[in-house]
Amino acid sequence: MTNRPMIPITRVEIGAEEEAEVLEVLRSGQLAQGPKVAALEQAFVELTGARHAIAVSNGTISLVASLQALELAPGAEVVTSPFTFVATVNAALEAGATVRFADIDPTSYLIDPDAVAAAIGSSTAVVMPVHLYGQAADMGALVPLAASVGAAIVEDAAQAHGAEFEGRRVGSFGIGSFSLYATKNVMTGEGGMITTSDDSIADRLRLLRNQGMRVRYQYEVAGHNYRLTDLQAAVGLPQMRRLPERTEARRRNAAGLSERLSGIEGLSLPTEIPGRLHVWHQYTVRITGDARCTRDAVVEGLGAAGVGCGIYYPKAAYDYDSYRDHPRVVGASCPHAERAAREVLSLPVHPSLTEHDLDRIAEAVYELLGAPS
């Protein structure tokens, strides 16, 4: 076992700016949704280019509310990726929809437009791409596919703050859903943000968020308490201001890892697709059958070397007992997603890494898989 400090897979950083913003809220006495929330919403409008941003209590709720705002009919289907955190699936079920899966591209791990084309039909109400690991899905293909059957686009952008497809930010192609959980590229501890340029959708989201009220005790719809507090928003505002520099740090670290790890047999490295801007929420490699040892052995060896790692995700979403026989989860064989789940491994790429950290990560991988040829 190593005596060196652990390099974590992620690191939560809270500094003097966050402390000052939170203290300001505490001293103001207005802790519930207030001016800090409004400022955070405006920051997301500026980030995405959407006309509206609506803050909510967490990332899962941002997906749930997005689907609820569409007022889905009974039997409506949401077509999405099986290679995602289960919040994507849970949100669709919570909104009363049926989930139908489309397989992923085997190299990018993003939902495959050809698989979507095969999955959509007259019952499809929503196409929900997942901008996984910080890279945008193929919105150039997915938007017209959704339009061809009259379906809405809801973007699961939980991991993709600031990511771009052909110069356009994610969250601006339909209804965008962002997580502000503690490990995300922008965080408030817990929180979520919804973006849209549809005025009526934005209005309904604000009603849903606030118990169906526009004016106190005047209920227009059956709503919920989906509100974000000013304390949480105060944490997120400095994070938004630092997002450009932190994204550049992630991009440098990803490039540094790829340079160090290139050419190792059995190790497939992630790439940035031309025309897209990857924000590297995760740096996800693949341990293939040609590798000197298994993925599980690599996980164990990295841990012993003091290098954190993570498996995102260990199964296709439909391959859990809670979903396998669910009446509103349409079973499907998605072989690319299933293989990815057996082989992927994420290495640290967060902005706090030093060049020495990158060297240590590479050395640990060499020890397990062999140096580049």
Side-chain angles (χ1 to χ4, degrees), residues 92-105:
L93 296 176
E94 177 69 15
T98 294
V99 179
R100 184 178 294 274
F101 292 111
D103 207 357
I104 60 172
D105 178 273

Side-chain angles (χ1 to χ4, degrees), residues 30-77:
Q30 184 173 358
L31 307 188
Q33 183 174 298
K36 298 293 185 185
V37 169
L40 187 62
E41 290 173 334
Q42 180 57 34
F44 266 86
V45 166
E46 294 169 5
L47 176 70
T48 63
R51 283 204 301 270
H52 303 277
I54 299 93
V56 292
S57 52
N58 60 63
T60 304
I61 287 300
S62 71
L63 287 170
V64 172
S66 296
L67 294 169
Q68 289 174 334
L70 292 169
E71 300 181 272
L72 302 178
E77 291 188 355

Side-chain angles (χ1 to χ4, degrees), residues 131-149:
H131 303 307
L132 194 67
Y133 302 143
Q135 181 150 237
D138 186 353
M139 302 310 295
L142 293 172
V143 169
L145 275 174
S148 71
V149 292

